[in-house]
Amino acid sequence: MILALCCALFLGYRLSTLWPTRHQRTRAWWIGAVSALIAGGGFILAVWHDILAQKALALLLMPAGLAWVLLIVVTVGAWRSATRVRAMLASTALLLFTLAGNTWMGDALITSLERRIPPLDLERLQPFDAVCVLGGGTEVSEADGPALSNGGDRIALAARLWHAGKAKVLVVSGSSIGEMERERDLAEESASILRGLGVDPRAIVQVPPGAVNTTQEIAAYGVAVREHGWTRVGLISSAWHLPRALRLCEAAKLEVVPLGADRRGRFRSWSLYWLIPQERGFERMQKACWEYLGMIVGR
């Protein structure tokens, strides 16, 4: 992949120097044109024999990749011909876009949240009177009904705990925000999936609908805990979401044991492939920044 990158950079440099002097067909211009052709051929050969380079090229042809390349071109052009202020604005936009979609940065931020939650040891875990499962991780299709979605590991973990005898009761919650999507009862969706995973319906408690965010769900859990007299309570959510949820539990004076699911922090190799803005980077950066923002505003 490094060979392909070197050829691409040299080809780009040659084309940028040849184009302004395209009407001056001097000997130096022809030498430059030949070297550009050689660089282009080298780039094609390098990509042809390098699977990683092929994937990187395909990634650059995706919308985010094309936007990144365009930003690079605009930034280089701004530093060559535009004012200093415009060049700095273009550079700032390029830097922000690169960081927003950078997988290394996204993984680092997600990991910084997840490392606050201890790993789960199912065998040594003491049984709970109740385990609360924060809403999310489900989706609904007209054909198949409720199903696990991105983040659905939290529901699968709840089922595992019940089957292992670690949770007497599973408490589910959550409702959609009507202004953002059609009204959905996330608690019923979670309960439906849990029943499909073999959990006894009598072991599932649904809090009343209406809780549309974590703050409201925690408040509903507090009411349920006091009504049923549960003493040892677990709280399941994505590990990167639990630090903020625990702060809300502390504010609500609700004592829970965090049970992290859906861990997404990964170590990525130092391949140039991960430098290209892509879905993994945008997703992790968005989630991590959302959690840190929520901690700042206390929601």
Side-chain angles (χ1 to χ4, degrees):
M1 182 173 174
I2 295 179
L3 177 60
L5 177 63
C6 291
C7 290
L9 291 175
F10 183 76
L11 177 61
Y13 164 74
R14 269 304 181 194
L15 292 177
S16 66
T17 56
L18 289 174
W19 180 254
T21 59
R22 62 189 183 279
H23 300 300
Q24 304 172 13
R25 303 299 174 85
T26 62
R27 181 179 179 182
W29 188 92
W30 283 108
I31 293 176
V34 171
S35 64
L37 289 174
I38 294 174
F43 173 76
I44 294 174
L45 287 175
V47 172
W48 188 268
H49 295 285
D50 189 334
I51 295 179
L52 186 60
Q54 294 171 17
K55 289 186 174 293
L57 179 60
L59 201 57
L60 289 173
L61 294 176
M62 296 295 102
L66 290 174
W68 188 54
V69 172
L70 180 59
L71 277 173
I72 293 174
V73 173
V74 170
T75 302
V76 172
W79 280 107
R80 293 187 61 178
S81 58
T83 63
R84 185 178 182 85
V85 173
R86 291 184 179 180
M88 292 183 67
L89 287 174
S91 299
T92 302
L94 174 61
L95 178 62
L96 287 175
F97 189 82
T98 301
L99 292 177
N102 186 269
T103 305
W104 293 319
M105 182 66 70
D107 282 342
L109 288 177
I110 283 289
T111 301
S112 70
L113 292 167
E114 292 181 341
R115 68 162 57 103
R116 306 182 189 190
I117 306 302
L120 187 63
D121 188 344
L122 194 60
E123 293 184 358
R124 298 183 179 181
L125 195 63
Q126 295 299 314
F128 294 94
D129 295 325
V131 170
C132 302
V133 188
L134 284 170
T138 62
E139 60 185 5
V140 177
S141 68
E142 297 295 337
D144 302 322
L148 294 178
S149 66
N150 194 10
D153 183 49
R154 63 181 69 178
I155 299 174
L157 175 58
R160 287 174 57 202
L161 289 172
W162 185 83
H163 282 293
K166 303 295 182 179
K168 296 178 182 178
V169 173
L170 299 178
V171 187
V172 293
S173 62
S175 298
S176 64
I177 300 176
E179 291 78 4
M180 296 176 61
E181 59 176 321
R182 66 185 179 87
E183 292 188 1
R184 293 168 52 200
D185 187 344
L186 303 184
E188 174 55 34
E189 292 176 15
S190 298
S192 175
I193 294 174
L194 287 171
R195 291 192 294 267
L197 292 173
V199 177
D200 188 338
R202 295 171 296 181
I204 302 174
V205 173
Q206 299 183 46
V207 301
V212 298
N213 59 25
T214 306
T215 302
Q216 295 177 5
E217 288 182 87
I218 295 298
Y221 291 153
V223 173
V225 168
R226 289 189 293 270
E227 287 182 349
H228 292 83
W230 297 320
T231 55
R232 179 170 165 80
V233 179
L235 179 66
I236 293 181
S237 188
S238 299
W240 45 266
H241 176 56
L242 276 174
R244 179 161 65 94
L246 291 177
R247 288 193 177 193
L248 296 173
C249 287
E250 183 178 357
K253 294 181 172 50
L254 176 63
E255 294 186 9
V256 297
V257 176
L259 302 170
D262 184 32
R263 293 183 181 269
R264 304 192 183 195
R266 303 287 187 273
F267 171 75
R268 308 288 174 178
S269 64
W270 295 107
S271 169
L272 293 175
Y273 175 84
W274 300 114
L275 180 63
I276 304 172
Q278 54 193 277
E279 178 187 5
R280 294 181 183 88
F282 285 115
E283 178 200 24
R284 285 159 175 75
M285 282 291 293
Q286 181 85 1
K287 290 185 181 301
C289 290
W290 186 271
E291 293 303 310
Y292 279 115
L293 178 62
M295 291 181 188
I296 292 173
V297 301
R299 296 295 297 272

